[in-house]
Amino acid sequence: MSWLQVLRVAVRALLRNKMRSFLTTLGVIIGVSAVIAMVAIGEGAKARVEESFASMGSNLLVVLSGTTTASGAHGGFGSMPTLTWDDLKAMRSEASAVRYASPQLRSTQQVISDDQNWATSINGVSPEYFPMRSWSAAMGSLITQSDIEAGSKVVVLGQTVVDKLYGSNADPTGHSVRIMKIPFQIIGVLARKGQSATGQDYDDAVFVPYTTFRAKIQGGLQKFIAGSIMVGAASGDATVRAQSQITNLLRDRHHIALGADDDFSIRNLAEMANAQQEGVKTLTTLLASIAAVSLIVGGIGIMNIMLVSVTERTREIGIRMAVGARPRDVLSQFLVEALALSSAGGIIGILLGLLAANRLAANFGWPILIRYDIIAIAVGFSGLVGVVFGLYPAQKASRLDPIDALRYE
Amino acid sequence: MGKPLIETSKVSKVYRMGDVEVHALREVSLTISEGESVAVMGPSGSGKSTLMNILGCLDRPSSGGYWLAGEEVSQLDRNALARMRNRTLGFVFQSFNLLSRTSALENVELPLLYAGVSARERHTRAREALTRVGLGERMHHHPNQMSGGQQQRVAVARALVTRPRLIVADEPTGNLDSRTSIEIMALFQELGRSGITLLLVTHESDIARYASRVVVMHDGRVQSDEQQTPLQAELGPAPAGAEVSP
């Protein structure tokens, strides 16, 4: 008997009991669609995390100055300025893995327009800061090197600040705002970035040249940077290299003895992104394994029905054996029936899973990522379920004694 | 008569029922030649069903030898027995044993399916067989749309379709009225004329009269074994078989 004929016989047998076949398949349908939907959603969530970290800027390192200890009370990082402007220059020129480096001087101040005011974070930065964080201008232009050199009183606003001071969709370029009573001309507005994974609003900030910041907003130390340095590594893989290059460079420049602690610290944002992604991955794996369990339960359903079917069709098996079916023929018939049930479940499950993933993604506003390898695995697994759980009933059928089977009522 | 088709030598069958050994067959030696029509009779428990199962390759003897068409069946495994049933013989049962919800044509094709015959040839041969038993018009009917006699004709067609040398019939008329019984016997006699050997298990002596030889079993042994001139099954206006007394 050819496989095609075996398949035809099996499909006809299944179609005789349409409702039962469908209910049996349902277990596998639910299992497969759950696996596919869970993985697609999980991958979507992972992509979303990646996206939100990408909006923060990719391959970023933040170099913070050292800590102070006064009368036993430890200050936090940055409380003791140890990073100098020369350190910044050295990073730019000597660390090969560093692509961008910008000071980040910060102060919260009132920004006052003609008829509104808003307290926000004032950031003194260099032009590299914007490409490093992949921020672009929605209107006007960004801070340039000549603004730095001239110490121009120009400002780039975040969208939230524009909303608060001028109303949404307004174009404030050309107007001026006052920060600490000093008028600054608005040269541009940043494109909307949204919120960070931790809820921080990236758009609630304004940016001025760091030279202007030092001269007009927060003076102080000449030699030291009263803030942090943000570093953009040449690539995602280069962040670790950039980190060690900066560490070596700064230890050398600060004359730190071997074995002594660093007088600065470096934070790797890529690591945080990785940690977040790991979390999502764990969750996806968890969901997918629960879904896989339901697939196994579906397989047991198939086995159950196949066992009932073998008992019910004992006489049929006897007839087939009497006219010359070998044990092998009976085995393959029941095995193919189980396989047909589980594969049909697999195929319907894929379609339902994709549909469910699409609907859920649309509801949550997530991207969905269809993993074709997972689909292949789910189908393969459902086929395996059919073979594994169909084998025992099929063997039982093939081992029937034809005489007993023919006499069975 | 032709050369021997069936030869048994001291065939015994012992069943174990718990601690008790049941001797269903005790050293039965039988030779049936090609073209014979043999009726096996006997009360229930006489071993006639067991003999039929062994001769029909459904079961193997506990001891003794059995040769069918020159092959030693008593030594064959389950697969080889299935092949024997498929190629060399055909079964007809008391309760027809057709697959329900399957057309007559497909029922008849079934043995050919296991013989590995191509779909087109299966079709042609099944049509031929059904036409031969007089059901050419009802090929696509399902068993539940047919009378008992028609169902048994389908079963005969199924037994015929592999062109076997032996047909084993187990109480083939047991579920049929006397007129239909004669129709079926007439069919068997016609097959006999074309050279097919018939082994008929029955407890009705009326039916046994259509055979050329009657073997009576008792307590697992052959009690008597006699040749006779078979009654010709003919369909007259009145059921002929009913008037004949043994």
Side-chain angles (χ1 to χ4, degrees), chain A residues 1 5 9 12 16 315-316 319-329 333 398-403 406-407, chain B residues 53 58-59 78-79 82 85-86 91 93 95 97-102 106 110-111 113-114 116-117 119 122 158:
Chain A
M1 229 165 129
Q5 279 159 7
V9 170
R12 289 199 52 173
R16 269 181 215 145
R315 209 184 164 83
E316 179 196 322
I319 295 170
R320 288 179 183 276
M321 284 178 159
V323 302
R326 289 163 297 174
R328 214 187 67 192
D329 295 321
Q333 183 189 336
S398 73
R399 285 180 186 157
L400 282 174
D401 181 43
I403 299 167
L406 279 169
R407 258 188 228 136
Chain B
N53 287 339
L58 288 167
D59 205 355
R78 293 189 69 188
N79 285 322
R85 292 196 292 270
N86 189 240
F91 281 100
F93 298 97
S95 49
N97 277 341
L98 299 175
L99 294 184
S100 57
R101 287 189 269 187
T102 306
E106 281 169 298
L110 197 62
L113 196 66
Y114 293 111
V117 174
R122 278 208 305 272
R158 183 179 65 190

Side-chain angles (χ1 to χ4, degrees), chain A residues 14-74:
Chain A
L14 293 175
L15 288 181
R16 269 181 215 145
N17 266 309
K18 287 190 189 72
M19 191 62 181
R20 183 204 280 180
S21 299
F22 170 69
L23 289 176
T24 311
T25 315
L26 201 58
V28 178
I29 294 177
I30 292 171
V32 170
S33 55
V35 168
I36 288 173
M38 289 305 156
V39 172
I41 290 168
E43 290 290 317
K46 206 166 106 191
R48 192 171 164 79
V49 169
E50 268 166 31
E51 207 175 72
S52 76
F53 274 90
S55 73
M56 223 162 72
S58 52
N59 326 323
L60 290 185
L61 296 171
V62 179
V63 186
L64 298 164
S65 53
T67 62
T68 52
T69 308
S71 325
H74 295 276

